[in-house]
């Protein structure tokens, strides 16, 4: 029996929307991610990392728990909003990554193998997160309908515009739809580059009319590649920086791929901020991708990505898609109790 996502019914919906609106203005979405070690400080995986190079981030102190909320157990459909100007090849890279999640015939190590860690998570009925992720409809907002500087609230307005458009509106699918808002490299989003590269949350019925899980990810190529496209660009504080060569020839978009993966994994396992996370406060949860921030291979932790793969052209990657290669951070396995990925040396 699958428990899907649905909009709360009044009066609970009104109370929930008011409370969440207050929270959003005060604190923001539950997941905010940056792929680099903040100001050289150690992240959670540094403290948890022991002598073994096999168990990246493994720790008895990580208490990831299930809080009885829904996860995305039915086939997941990703509806994309392209906000601003995107070229054709950039869209192709991102589309192939999403399509690769369910492409079981991709060479090992694969994006589909990476998603199998997400599939381990279940709801209260024991149903696993869906193995099927597919692209849905797309909406192009190439004229910046809400301007080039977005707040967290205006992001929800962009989604509302996309689902209520007079021509080709995005379908409304609260049960298995995942709405992916991608902003072009000339769009600033609140807290972008300073503390976030992307985040996920869900829309408020009072603003959008429905409770829809969504993620936002920005293209950092012009504004902060050293922060949000790491390790294809390096932050200034890292000594002797030598960035990796991006696998698809686009530093900004290749950097986005890992952030998109991060947010999709957490949306699937914690879509309404009441399912899988560590910590006592659902407003500031530590989710399954947060626990493995910056780890891309065996031995990873801190500013070291771990052991990754080199293509013949010198590009760096750790998993294969249908035709392309990608570098995507690892995820926490609550079964193994450590971070893992398809390129782990013990696989």
């Amino acid at each position: 029996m699958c428990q899907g996502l649905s909009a709360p019914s009044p009066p609970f919906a009104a109370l929930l929307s008011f409370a969440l609106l207050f929270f959003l203005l005060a604190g923001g979405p539950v997941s905010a991610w940056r792929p680099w070690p903040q100001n050289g400080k150690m992240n959670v995986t540094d403290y948890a990392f022991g002598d073994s190079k096999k168990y990246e981030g493994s720790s008895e102190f990580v208490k990831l728990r299930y809080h009885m909320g829904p996860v995305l157990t039915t086939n997941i459909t990703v509806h994309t909003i392209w906000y601003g100007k995107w070229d054709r090849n950039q869209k192709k890279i991102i589309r192939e990554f999403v399509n690769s999640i369910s492409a079981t015939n991709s060479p090992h190590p694969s994006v589909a193998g990476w998603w199998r860690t997400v599939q381990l998570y279940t709801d209260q009925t024991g149903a696993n997160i869906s193995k099927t992720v597919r692209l849905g409809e797309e909406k192009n907002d190439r004229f910046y309908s809400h301007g080039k500087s977005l707040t967290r609230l205006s992001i929800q307005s962009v989604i509302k515009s996309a689902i209520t458009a007079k021509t080709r509106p995005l379908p409304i699918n609260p049960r298995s739809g995942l709405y992916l808002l991608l902003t072009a490299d000339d769009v600033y989003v609140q807290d972008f580059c300073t503390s976030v590269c992307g985040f996920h949350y869900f829309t408020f019925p009072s603003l959008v009319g429905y409770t829809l899980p969504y993620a936002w990810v920005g293209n950092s190529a012009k504004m902060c590649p050293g922060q949000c496209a790491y390790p294809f660009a390096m932050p200034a504080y890292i000594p002797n920086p030598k960035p990796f060569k991006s696998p698809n020839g686009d530093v900004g978009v290749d950097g986005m791929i890992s952030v998109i993966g991060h947010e999709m994994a957490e949306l699937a396992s914690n879509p309404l901020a009441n399912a899988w996370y560590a910590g006592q406060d659902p407003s500031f949860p530590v989710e399954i991708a947060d626990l493995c921030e910056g780890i891309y291979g065996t031995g990873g932790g801190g500013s070291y990505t771990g052991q990754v793969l080199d293509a013949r052209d010198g590009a760096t990657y750790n998993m294969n898609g249908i035709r392309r290669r990608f570098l995507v951070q690892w995820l926490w396995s609550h079964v193994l109790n450590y971070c893992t990925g398809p390129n782990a040396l013990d696989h």
Side-chain angles (χ1 to χ4, degrees):
M1 181 177 180
C2 297
Q3 180 178 356
L5 305 179
S6 59
S9 57
F12 178 72
L15 294 173
L16 177 63
S17 298
F18 177 80
L20 291 176
L21 179 62
F22 174 81
F23 165 70
L24 185 61
L25 290 169
V30 299
S31 178
W33 183 74
R34 50 184 179 271
W36 78 101
Q38 184 182 22
N39 299 324
K41 296 179 180 178
M42 299 173 78
N43 62 22
V44 65
T45 55
D46 293 305
Y47 293 108
F49 191 48
D51 293 332
S52 171
K53 297 300 180 183
K54 180 178 178 181
Y55 303 102
E56 286 70 31
S58 61
S59 175
E60 61 183 5
F61 300 109
V62 174
K63 303 298 183 184
L64 186 76
R65 292 189 175 91
Y66 177 54
H67 299 267
M68 304 306 289
V71 300
L72 300 186
T73 57
T74 55
N75 293 347
I76 300 167
T77 303
V78 180
H79 302 298
T80 309
I81 302 169
W82 303 97
Y83 192 85
K85 296 177 181 177
W86 294 85
D87 68 41
R88 183 176 300 178
N89 191 58
Q90 290 177 322
K91 291 182 177 181
K92 284 182 177 179
I93 296 169
I94 294 171
R95 287 179 187 135
E96 179 164 327
F97 172 71
V98 175
N99 279 328
S100 295
I101 291 174
S102 297
T104 56
N105 293 328
S106 298
H108 175 79
S110 68
V111 176
W114 169 82
W115 189 257
R116 277 196 285 272
T117 298
V118 183
Q119 290 176 241
L120 294 172
Y121 291 88
T122 61
D123 66 11
Q124 57 185 301
T125 71
N128 292 82
I129 290 175
S130 177
K131 65 179 181 180
T132 302
V133 179
R134 59 194 175 199
L135 283 171
E137 301 298 318
E138 297 185 356
K139 192 69 178 174
N140 292 296
D141 195 336
R142 57 178 65 91
F143 297 112
Y144 309 89
S145 63
H146 290 72
K148 290 189 176 183
S149 182
L150 302 176
T151 65
R152 298 172 188 241
L153 284 180
S154 62
I155 279 179
Q156 297 209 16
S157 297
V158 173
I159 296 171
K160 180 180 181 180
S161 295
I163 64 173
T164 59
K166 292 182 179 179
T167 59
R168 301 186 67 180
L170 291 184
I172 298 167
N173 188 353
R175 288 184 57 84
S176 61
L178 187 160
Y179 296 79
L180 184 60
L181 173 58
L182 305 175
T183 50
D185 59 12
D186 57 349
V187 177
Y188 175 75
V189 174
Q190 181 181 353
D191 298 324
F192 188 33
C193 296
T194 56
S195 60
V196 300
C197 301
F199 56 70
H200 75 86
Y201 210 51
F202 52 89
T203 60
F204 304 152
S206 60
L207 294 177
V208 180
Y210 304 89
T211 302
L212 304 173
Y214 74 90
W216 158 76
V217 179
N219 186 338
S220 66
K222 291 182 179 179
M223 296 185 185
C224 56
Q227 282 68 38
C228 293
Y230 174 87
F232 305 122
M234 293 290 172
Y237 61 81
I238 293 183
N240 302 315
K242 185 179 179 181
F244 291 173
K245 183 178 179 180
S246 65
N248 297 290
D250 190 311
V251 168
V253 172
D254 275 316
M256 290 179 72
I257 292 296
S258 190
V259 188
I260 291 170
H262 178 116
E263 301 303 340
M264 286 183 63
E266 293 184 342
L267 264 179
S269 58
N270 195 31
L272 297 184
N274 61 358
W276 289 95
Y277 63 87
Q280 301 301 314
D281 186 354
S283 302
F284 301 96
V286 179
E287 298 171 289
I288 69 171
D290 297 325
L291 288 165
C292 305
E293 206 170 276
I295 297 177
Y296 300 84
T298 300
S303 59
Y304 176 52
T305 59
Q307 297 188 48
V308 291
L309 304 170
D310 292 324
R312 291 182 179 179
D313 63 357
T316 299
Y317 70 103
N318 66 347
M319 59 189 73
N320 294 289
I322 299 169
R323 289 173 297 273
R324 298 175 184 270
R325 296 183 173 112
F326 304 101
L327 185 71
V328 185
Q329 69 148 96
W330 282 10
L331 302 170
W332 184 265
S333 167
H334 68 302
V335 175
L336 302 173
N337 205 36
Y338 59 84
C339 299
T340 189
N343 59 312
L345 295 184
D346 59 323
H347 283 190

